[in-house]
Amino acid sequence: MTTRRIFFTRLALDAHIGILEHELRATQPLHIDADIDMQVDQQVNDHDIRSVLDYRKLREAIIEECTRAHVHLVETLGDMVIQRILNDFPEVFRVRLRIGKPLAFSDCAAVGIEVEATR
């Protein structure tokens, strides 16, 4: 059996996230890194996107989960995104997700969380 990894590096989006007063009033940018591992049990057909997991669908699921509602804690958001990926994509067996808030502090590039789950 083969394992394939799809990865996203610094997927940038604006989300309603945070528990502080100023975070409750406006969106803020997030940077998402993800490693998504899946089992491959069929050969790739170079002429048929259905022979692979379409990373456009993964990207869409991540963006939808991050932007559909206000979330107070980045830890909660991480759990939500991972659950969405594991629920929607049965071929995925491992997700490693890193969510950074680049504007949280002026003295560092970002602060955030990293979470990993397997089935």
Side-chain angles (χ1 to χ4, degrees):
M1 183 175 348
T2 302
T3 298
R4 182 172 295 129
R5 175 174 291 158
I6 294 176
F7 66 90
F8 294 90
T9 302
R10 208 168 158 181
L11 173 61
L13 53 91
D14 290 322
H16 291 278
I17 188 163
I19 202 161
L20 302 177
E21 186 64 36
H22 70 278
E23 295 174 318
L24 296 171
R25 292 191 303 261
T27 62
Q28 62 180 299
L30 293 180
H31 293 159
I32 311 289
D33 295 321
D35 292 329
I36 300 161
D37 295 341
M38 71 214 69
Q39 296 177 352
V40 178
D41 55 4
Q42 68 177 351
Q43 274 195 300
V44 173
N45 177 344
D46 193 45
H47 299 285
D48 186 357
I49 189 74
R50 294 171 299 175
S51 70
V52 297
L53 178 52
D54 187 344
Y55 52 75
R56 294 173 299 178
K57 293 179 181 178
L58 285 167
R59 179 182 170 274
E60 181 179 296
I62 293 168
I63 292 170
E64 282 179 5
E65 207 57 36
C66 288
T67 59
R68 69 182 170 94
H70 187 95
V71 177
H72 289 105
L73 300 174
V74 70
E75 293 84 355
T76 302
L77 183 61
D79 292 345
M80 291 167 51
V81 171
I82 282 185
Q83 276 308 120
R84 170 79 182 267
I85 291 170
L86 291 175
N87 288 341
D88 288 5
F89 304 95
E91 60 270 69
V92 171
F93 68 86
R94 181 184 159 277
V95 180
R96 183 171 161 217
L97 184 70
R98 184 180 187 102
I99 302 176
K101 295 169 74 174
L103 299 182
F105 299 114
S106 62
D107 60 353
C108 62
V111 65
I113 59 105
E114 187 172 293
V115 62
E116 182 175 329
T118 57
R119 57 167 106 239

